[in-house]
Amino acid sequence: MKEQLRACIRKGIEGCIADGTLASATAPAIVVEKPSHPEHGDFATNVAMLMAKGEKKAPRAVAEIIVAKLKGSTELVDSVEIAGPGFINFRIKPSAWRETLNVISGAGAEFGKSTVGRGKKVQVEFVSANPTGPLHIGHGRGAATGDAVASLLEAAGFEVQREYYINDAGNQMNTLGLSVLLRYRELLGQQVDFPENCYQGAYIKDIAADAVKAYGDSYLQVSEDEGVAFFAKYGGNVILKGIEDDLAAFGVRHDHWFSEQSLFDDGKVPAAIEEMQEKGLIYEQEGALWFRTTDYGDDKDRVVVRSNGVTTYFASDIAYHRDKFGRGFDWVIDVWGADHHGYVPRLKGIVQGLGRNPDDLKIILVQLVSLLRDGVPVAMSTRSGQFDTLKEVVDEVGRDAARFFFLMRRSDSQLDFDLELAKRQSTDNPVYYVQYAHARIRSIFEAAQEKGVTVDLSAPQLDLLQTAEEMSLIKTLATFPETLESSAVNFEPHRITYYLQDLAAQFHSYYNKSRVIIPEEQQLSNARLFLLHCVAITIKNALTVLGISAPERM
């Protein structure tokens, strides 16, 4: 609707330019917005105020010229008026709003999708948890966010690849290997001193027990270095398989799993460092190599290779992002925990050092989740083993509720996850409230047939939809494509959850007040059923893009 109105305004301004009533050479960029107060109309534009200086006229005078041209020139606009210093307010004809329903029904599962992305190649890298322990609830929020952002971008016409970066190099893997080795020795009767800095969780004992079954006491006699290396790889593979299984159960898939270790095995880390040295971005000082991150807004330069020759995580990140952009992506999106916010300038520096626009790298920060059980926060620590895993949460509340709750707030704001609310089958539970709206509509169609109403959605008399509640529902449905597009380009899936809750509330209120099934008025029944049919399509499409089901019955 906005696009149609924008085109109508542009055509009117171009007509004014052509007949000489406006002196400008071309029409400016036209912004159409929804007024904050409904009594001001459906849409408003400030285009007259933008043109006033060039026209050497008062904004209201410019607005009067534009309005005179628009009046009676379109089937879209019911009324147009000037307000304040020069705003132009529009009311759209009810018939034009109602026509939205035919668009929705005709598009079906495609309603809401757009081509704004124009096939631009985007990579979304998310979760990327160290393979040293099961995914916890914080990882779950990142997983839901990254997956929803990827789906939104796909719906907006982008070509998207989902990637998981496996942190399988570095000291944390050695710690994992030592943890499993010590538990392995313990299970085979040796007395061990288990360090506090090792991973304490019961899952380590489970991995060690499986190793005993598979290998017996074969690794009791090997050196500690050999044992640590073996169990680091063995334990990492077991944990990674568990992560993959947990993500699949959560409805999250990755197109590509990228190993950090492969950057070293394939020589990509030294190659990236060499390139940056040639560009003068990496320099040597006191035997170490440093990246000039202060050139890109960081508070200090960062070590890439320590004086003992050991590389830092930053070296891997340079090589990894060099590899990403080398694969031809237009945008690279990283979904990180909010505690990494200070790392953003460094990564932007890498991208700029690679000769790319730093804005080609998008960082989505995901804040912490506070998990409550009976009002008491649950401690989460991979190393101590005191945490609620993502699997435990999904098993308890269900995949749909978990995903919806993770996406209910901006990703960069803290989230309280109420387990009891997520399980409750009542209107207090937002995901239940939305899903029930879809299921309720399906039951209404079944009830219509039972009451002898012939359901015919082929040619409904839409002019019978005249109540304020009906028009409000239609207008909300019409905003879905814009909501989806803005959610995609701003990487904000919470906008869809807000939209769904608003739409569901409007539907439930309308149905509680209005008779939909009226056997003695077949045409009105069909018009109202058609409206609900379009509500159901929109709810299902919005839930689908979030990776949440739309039940037929509840």
Side-chain angles (χ1 to χ4, degrees), residues 30 105 114 130 207 214 248 253 312 314 339 353 432 435 437-438 486 490 495 524 554:
I30 298 167
S105 183
S114 72
N130 294 344
I207 294 171
R253 64 173 178 83
T312 64
F314 195 46
D339 56 331
Y432 179 88
Q435 289 182 315
H438 185 269
S486 65
N490 291 291
R495 297 190 187 195
L524 179 58
M554 290 180 71

Side-chain angles (χ1 to χ4, degrees), residues 1 13 41 54 80 91 98 113 163 166 176 202 221 259 286 291 303 322 354 368 384 394 547:
M1 193 65 73
I13 293 173
V80 55
R91 286 180 173 80
R98 295 186 192 108
K113 295 182 179 179
E163 181 153 299
I166 308 167
L176 173 66
Q221 307 305 322
S259 163
E286 298 177 352
F291 192 102
V303 176
R322 178 175 179 260
L354 291 170
L368 296 173
S384 69
V394 173

Side-chain angles (χ1 to χ4, degrees), residues 266-324:
D266 298 340
K268 292 180 178 179
V269 172
I273 292 173
E274 183 179 352
E275 178 182 336
M276 294 297 178
Q277 284 180 300
E278 290 174 354
K279 292 181 176 181
L281 298 175
I282 290 180
Y283 63 92
E284 184 177 350
Q285 182 176 304
E286 298 177 352
L289 295 181
W290 301 70
F291 192 102
R292 299 184 189 277
T293 51
T294 50
D295 290 354
Y296 305 103
D298 202 359
D299 58 343
K300 61 181 180 180
D301 290 345
R302 302 291 169 172
V303 176
V304 176
V305 182
R306 299 184 181 92
S307 57
N308 62 3
V310 176
T311 58
T312 64
Y313 285 120
F314 195 46
S316 297
D317 285 331
I318 294 170
Y320 182 41
H321 285 79
R322 178 175 179 260
D323 182 89
K324 286 186 180 188

Side-chain angles (χ1 to χ4, degrees), residues 226-278:
E226 185 179 346
V228 166
F230 172 80
F231 284 111
K233 185 173 182 180
Y234 176 82
N237 287 338
V238 171
I239 291 171
L240 194 61
K241 179 62 168 63
I243 287 173
E244 189 172 359
D245 290 344
D246 289 350
L247 288 173
F250 193 44
V252 172
R253 64 173 178 83
H254 287 87
D255 304 304
H256 192 221
W257 295 69
F258 190 100
S259 163
E260 179 186 0
Q261 186 60 45
S262 72
L263 294 171
F264 294 92
D265 297 341
D266 298 340
K268 292 180 178 179
V269 172
I273 292 173
E274 183 179 352
E275 178 182 336
M276 294 297 178
Q277 284 180 300
E278 290 174 354

Side-chain angles (χ1 to χ4, degrees), residues 489-506:
V489 298
N490 291 291
F491 319 124
E492 294 182 340
H494 72 275
R495 297 190 187 195
I496 303 296
T497 63
Y498 288 0
Y499 175 86
L500 277 166
Q501 291 175 84
D502 180 40
L503 178 58
Q506 287 191 50

Side-chain angles (χ1 to χ4, degrees), residues 281-443:
L281 298 175
I282 290 180
Y283 63 92
E284 184 177 350
Q285 182 176 304
E286 298 177 352
L289 295 181
W290 301 70
F291 192 102
R292 299 184 189 277
T293 51
T294 50
D295 290 354
Y296 305 103
D298 202 359
D299 58 343
K300 61 181 180 180
D301 290 345
R302 302 291 169 172
V303 176
V304 176
V305 182
R306 299 184 181 92
S307 57
N308 62 3
V310 176
T311 58
T312 64
Y313 285 120
F314 195 46
S316 297
D317 285 331
I318 294 170
Y320 182 41
H321 285 79
R322 178 175 179 260
D323 182 89
K324 286 186 180 188
F325 283 108
R327 286 183 258 160
F329 293 110
D330 298 296
W331 286 351
V332 165
I333 300 173
D334 292 348
V335 181
W336 291 349
D339 56 331
H340 288 76
H341 66 91
Y343 211 69
V344 174
R346 300 171 221 173
L347 265 294
K348 293 280 188 177
I350 291 173
V351 175
Q352 198 164 345
L354 291 170
R356 298 292 298 252
N357 186 328
D359 289 338
D360 291 344
L361 173 67
K362 319 288 184 179
I363 307 293
I364 300 174
L365 297 176
V366 179
Q367 266 289 1
L368 296 173
V369 179
S370 296
L371 184 64
L372 305 178
R373 289 188 179 279
D374 298 323
V376 179
V378 178
M380 292 183 287
S381 170
T382 308
R383 187 153 290 171
S384 69
Q386 297 177 4
F387 56 84
D388 273 70
T389 64
L390 173 62
K391 183 181 187 305
E392 289 169 333
V393 172
V394 173
D395 287 346
E396 182 169 345
V397 307
R399 185 178 85 181
D400 286 347
R403 289 183 71 114
F404 197 96
F405 270 63
F406 282 135
L407 298 171
M408 281 198 307
R409 300 286 181 267
R410 289 178 57 96
S411 66
D412 58 357
S413 64
Q414 285 197 309
L415 174 69
D416 288 334
F417 194 115
D418 188 331
L419 286 165
E420 297 308 313
L421 179 60
K423 292 186 290 184
R424 197 171 298 150
Q425 294 190 355
S426 74
T427 56
D428 294 332
N429 181 350
V431 65
Y432 179 88
Y433 191 59
V434 170
Q435 289 182 315
Y436 178 55
H438 185 269
R440 194 178 195 184
I441 291 171
R442 293 305 171 207
S443 70

